[in-house]
DNA sequence: CTGTATCCTTTTGGATACTG
DNA sequence: CAGTATCCAAAAGGATACAG
């Protein structure tokens, strides 16, 4: 699991893309020149594995919600469970373990009875907060459009009974 | 599936949070005042459903890669399949359908023989590109740290044989 | 309170064959 | 070339019981 570190995506050496340039640098910037066969970018998509590793961590059902909540400050296990509607005991544990393993969350257990455990974002975890919140903001802003589009699509594509 | 539109997360009326304030506005900004029992924010996390809807779309195995590639310009089915290493025919179809349904991708079929179909991001899809790329950039930048943390954790927590 | 283990259901996704 | 349908294996995730 040792890809190239931070190759590409870093800025510098932009290349004209086939379409408009809406969000600044593309996914593929900084890659070696293309074989000039008209392909736009990223033949074999070297960052794909890196991206998928991260997305796999972030993209599960609960991770982003946990990170988002911890962004407001440290919290205990039960506190998190109470706030995240519908999460099961097992999934919260599992999510927190994975985040801890990846160095995004720090777990602090106080040797008391009954036990008390606090979870908090690490600096690395906090650095994730920014792109996460950007996505959350996008979600909040555009959710109505998604719903509308969905309804329209479903109306136009009735499933054959 | 009709939540409140863009409630919260919009800026204005910040509230002191229990910890530092790393990434600007928190997940919970703009919510009605808390019951003052020491809780930090977002009792029942009303955005949770909205967030999960979006995360569910973005968080699957291939969506972000497809969106990222389409960010470089329109592409045909086979082109996408060739570029995204490991994606199956079925999954690419399914991913594109879901994106089309949500209004993020526009599908254009040319009535030729053999058939030619082009996929392109809609304006809404392009608006997603920005937060997406932010996340991708984060992934590229911090992947090494994740790997390191992971190795360290695994070394410290040998699984019981 | 926090965490682990077990069981079982649902979902995801790959392989493949077939259609226009 | 693009798309659909079927079948099947693997993974995710919920419920529950139990332990420190």
């Amino acid at each position: 699991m040792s890809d190239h570190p931070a190759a590409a995506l870093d800025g510098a050496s932009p290349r004209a893309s086939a379409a408009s340039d809406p969000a600044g640098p593309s996914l593929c910037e900084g890659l070696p020149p293309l074989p000039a066969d008209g392909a736009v970018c990223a033949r074999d998509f070297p960052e794909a594995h890196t991206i998928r590793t991260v997305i796999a961590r972030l993209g599960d059902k609960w991770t982003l919600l946990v990170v988002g909540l911890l962004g407001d400050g440290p919290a205990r296990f039960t506190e998190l469970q109470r706030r995240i509607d519908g999460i099961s005991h097992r999934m919260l544990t599992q999510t927190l373990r994975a985040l801890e393993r990846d160095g995004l969350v720090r777990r602090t257990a106080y040797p008391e009875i009954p036990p008390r455990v606090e979870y908090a974002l690490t600096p690395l975890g906090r650095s994730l907060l920014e792109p996460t919140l950007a996505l959350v903001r996008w979600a909040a802003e555009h959710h109505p459009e998604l719903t509308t589009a969905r309804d329209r699509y479903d109306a136009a594509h009735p499933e054959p009974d």
Side-chain angles (χ1 to χ4, degrees), chain A:
Chain A
M1 202 186 283
S2 48
D3 300 42
H4 55 159
L9 302 169
D10 224 20
S13 70
R15 206 190 304 107
S17 75
S20 53
D21 190 17
S26 90
L27 239 193
C28 315
E29 216 147 277
L31 292 174
L34 293 167
D37 63 326
V40 186
C41 183
R43 287 71 28 95
D44 263 3
F45 222 166
E47 318 87 328
H49 177 247
T50 305
I51 298 173
R52 279 223 296 276
T53 301
V54 176
I55 297 308
R57 169 63 50 252
L58 268 42
D60 70 4
K61 210 172 169 185
W62 306 109
T63 296
L64 244 49
L65 293 175
V66 171
V67 169
L69 277 184
L70 288 180
D72 283 323
R76 301 180 54 174
F77 186 91
T78 312
E79 200 179 341
L80 290 170
Q81 188 175 28
R82 186 168 40 85
R83 283 183 183 170
I84 302 180
D85 192 64
I87 194 171
S88 69
H89 195 152
R90 181 178 173 274
M91 277 300 106
L92 182 54
T93 305
Q94 198 168 299
T95 302
L96 287 168
R97 281 296 161 279
L99 287 172
E100 189 194 359
R101 185 168 105 105
D102 284 350
L104 298 169
V105 158
R106 175 166 35 250
R107 176 182 183 276
T108 314
Y110 299 90
E112 308 171 355
I113 304 230
R116 181 166 62 94
V117 180
E118 260 199 0
Y119 292 94
L121 292 182
T122 62
L124 183 58
R126 274 196 296 276
S127 78
L128 173 58
L129 213 50
E130 194 158 9
T132 295
L133 290 175
L135 203 58
V136 169
R137 241 173 272 122
W138 187 93
E141 270 173 44
H142 297 286
H143 187 249
E145 300 170 63
L146 287 193
T147 304
T148 302
R150 208 171 277 196
D151 291 346
R152 198 153 44 80
Y153 183 96
D154 290 347
H157 299 77
E159 42 193 302
D161 211 59

